Structure formats: C-alpha cells, structure tokens
Amino acid sequence: MFLASRSDTTDTTTTATRKVQDETEEVNPRKLGLALQLDDGTRKSHSMAQNTAFVSGFFKGLANRESYGALLKSLYFVYDAMEKAMDESDEYRVQQLDLPALRRVTSLERDLEYFYGNNGDSAKSFLSNVQPSPATRTYVARIEQVAKSKPYLLIAHQYTRYLGDLFGGQMMGGMASSTLGLSNGEGTAFYEFDQIPNTQAFITKWYKLLNDLDLTEEQKQEIVDEANLVFDMNVGILQELEGSPIQAFVTLAINSFKARLGFA
C-alpha cells in the first residue's frame, strides 16, 4: 500500500472540492430550455434593420414631451390589454409567470397623470377620450386573439415586454429624464421597479420559472414565433412616433456632457 504525498493529497482534495462545487453550483437558467430557445430564437431572427428601427423609434419617443406622451399612451393600451388578459385567463402556465412586481399599468397611470392630469383627471378618465394608434390597435387585437385561442402564447408577450423593461428600464428611464428634463422620477415610473431590489436575481428566478413550465416542443416553438411577432409590433408602435431621433440623441449627448462637467 502506497501513501500519497502531501502534494498529491492536496491535489486530490482540491479536485474533489471543485467537483462538488461544480455539481452543486446552479446552472444559469438562461442557458437551458425555453429560456435559451427564446433568447436565441429572437436574437437570430432580428435583422440589423429591425434592431436599428427599434433604437431609432425609441429615440423618436424621446424627442419631445409630445412624442414621449404618445409612447406612454400606446404602452398603456398594450399593458392594459395584456394584464386584463392575464387576470381573466385560467392558463396556469401564464399565471406562474405573472409576478406582481412586474405589473406596469399602475406605473403608466402615474406617468400619464403627471403629463396630462392638469385638471385633476385620472389617467383612465383622460384615456377614455383617446383613440389608440393604428399600430397599437393591431398589438392589442393580437393580445386579445391569443388570449382566447391559445392563451399560453401570452408567455411570449410576458417575456418580450416585461424582461425587456427589466433589462433596459433603468437605462431608458435615465435617458428619458435627461433628454426631457425630468427630475425626481417624474414621468418615468414605468421604467422603475421599486419591488425588485435585485434585477439580476429576479430575472434568474423568472427564467427558472419559465423553464419549469410543462410545454410541448411544438408549443415552445410557437412561443418563440410569437415573441418575434411581439418584437415587430413594438417596432411598429415606435415607428409611428413623430419625434426626431437625431434631435433626441443630440439633446441626450449634450445633457450627458453637461452632467459630467457638473453643469446639470
């Protein structure tokens, strides 16, 4: 019988420890299952033109308060339809992903009341006299359609909107505040998730819930296809806005430069 040297023993112990750590370490859910399918399936299908259209459209929404207000109104109609559909649906897989901290209608109402509540009107009262834009009507109609025919496709709407809001919310809210001269979170409640102190941990939890859903491979592919359609419908809303993306970008750059110099 041979005894291992101290170095051999140390190496063996280190290897065993690493093996245990590797086995117990939780795998990033974004690298598995439907989460991976959605991330890959939506990323690969978006052309450079589509991505450029999305960014350009977002900057159009920051060009002035009128354009930003139009964006908020469209988003309100979309989220109102989506969250009503989730409330009314008995699709348990949609319910499992419907976490209260993600809901956006109340935040959008606060933003709309900030911009349009001069007469003390509530957002709902104000919006009762507002007609959704053509692209917004198309989007809302699609939500209502899938809610009735294939409610599990609402998962694609949850994924595209809520996770997009979480991933880019802080940055986009900051850009809106800087470009439009907003302060103290006024008019940007939509981009704030006060009930989510750790965004990355929350997203990881949501992806895990997504991967644990009982779905067939065919249903998963349908959800990926729907997510791509949702992206295109969001681009459609942004492209309707009348602001100048160049104006917004220049204003943002100037204000950011001033802030760095301590002038803002």
Side-chain angles (χ1 to χ4, degrees):
M1 178 178 180
F2 295 95
L3 296 177
S5 66
R6 178 175 295 183
S7 60
D8 290 340
T9 303
T10 301
D11 290 344
T12 302
T13 302
T14 301
T15 301
T17 301
R18 287 175 178 169
K19 183 177 180 181
V20 171
Q21 289 175 338
D22 290 342
E23 290 175 348
T24 58
E25 185 178 353
E26 187 174 354
V27 178
N28 184 346
R30 291 189 67 181
K31 298 180 180 180
L32 300 169
L34 182 54
L36 178 62
Q37 284 180 254
L38 276 165
D39 282 359
D40 278 357
T42 52
R43 186 185 305 114
K44 291 176 181 177
S45 70
H46 297 162
S47 66
M48 181 63 71
Q50 286 175 303
N51 287 321
T52 300
F54 183 89
V55 174
S56 172
F58 177 71
F59 273 102
K60 287 172 72 175
L62 298 184
N64 51 59
R65 292 196 174 206
E66 289 73 21
S67 292
Y68 184 64
L71 174 59
L72 291 176
K73 284 181 278 188
S74 289
L75 289 174
Y76 177 86
F77 287 118
V78 167
Y79 278 93
D80 187 54
M82 187 166 75
E83 293 178 5
K84 280 181 179 176
M86 292 190 294
D87 285 338
E88 296 169 1
S89 176
D90 58 1
E91 172 55 70
Y92 71 96
R93 291 164 294 193
V94 169
Q95 293 170 351
Q96 286 179 277
L97 299 176
D98 180 20
L99 306 182
L102 291 171
R103 292 280 183 128
R104 295 290 87 197
V105 166
T106 300
S107 297
L108 283 163
E109 287 176 349
R110 284 170 51 196
D111 289 338
L112 288 166
E113 285 165 7
Y114 170 74
F115 284 106
Y116 301 105
N118 295 331
N119 298 321
D121 293 339
S122 67
K124 290 182 180 179
S125 175
F126 162 74
L127 287 165
S128 65
N129 297 313
V130 175
Q131 290 297 317
S133 69
T136 305
R137 289 198 297 271
T138 298
Y139 198 154
V140 169
R142 180 60 184 177
I143 291 171
E144 294 171 345
Q145 178 187 352
V146 300
K148 292 177 181 177
S149 60
K150 294 184 176 181
Y152 59 86
L153 291 182
L154 289 172
I155 293 169
H157 293 259
Q158 293 172 305
Y159 165 83
T160 306
R161 281 285 6 156
Y162 287 137
L163 286 204
D165 299 334
L166 268 176
F167 275 120
Q170 186 174 10
M171 178 188 69
M172 291 179 173
M175 290 165 65
S177 295
S178 177
T179 306
L180 301 174
L182 304 173
S183 59
N184 302 319
E186 294 174 331
T188 58
F190 170 71
Y191 295 109
E192 298 168 6
F193 290 83
D194 297 333
Q195 299 178 51
I196 303 177
N198 187 325
T199 301
Q200 191 56 52
F202 187 94
I203 290 173
T204 298
K205 173 187 175 182
W206 197 91
Y207 271 123
K208 189 174 186 307
L209 291 171
L210 176 69
N211 286 340
D212 289 342
L213 297 178
D214 182 18
L215 294 159
T216 66
E217 290 305 313
E218 181 181 358
Q219 288 172 329
K220 290 178 182 178
Q221 185 56 52
E222 285 183 283
I223 290 169
V224 173
D225 293 340
E226 183 72 13
N228 282 307
L229 176 60
V230 174
F231 180 85
D232 289 340
M233 290 189 294
N234 277 285
V235 171
I237 285 177
L238 292 171
Q239 289 300 298
E240 280 185 331
L241 302 176
E242 296 181 356
S244 166
I246 296 176
Q247 174 190 336
F249 183 79
V250 170
T251 302
L252 176 63
I254 292 173
N255 289 344
S256 298
F257 182 66
K258 286 181 178 179
R260 290 183 181 180
L261 294 178
F263 296 140

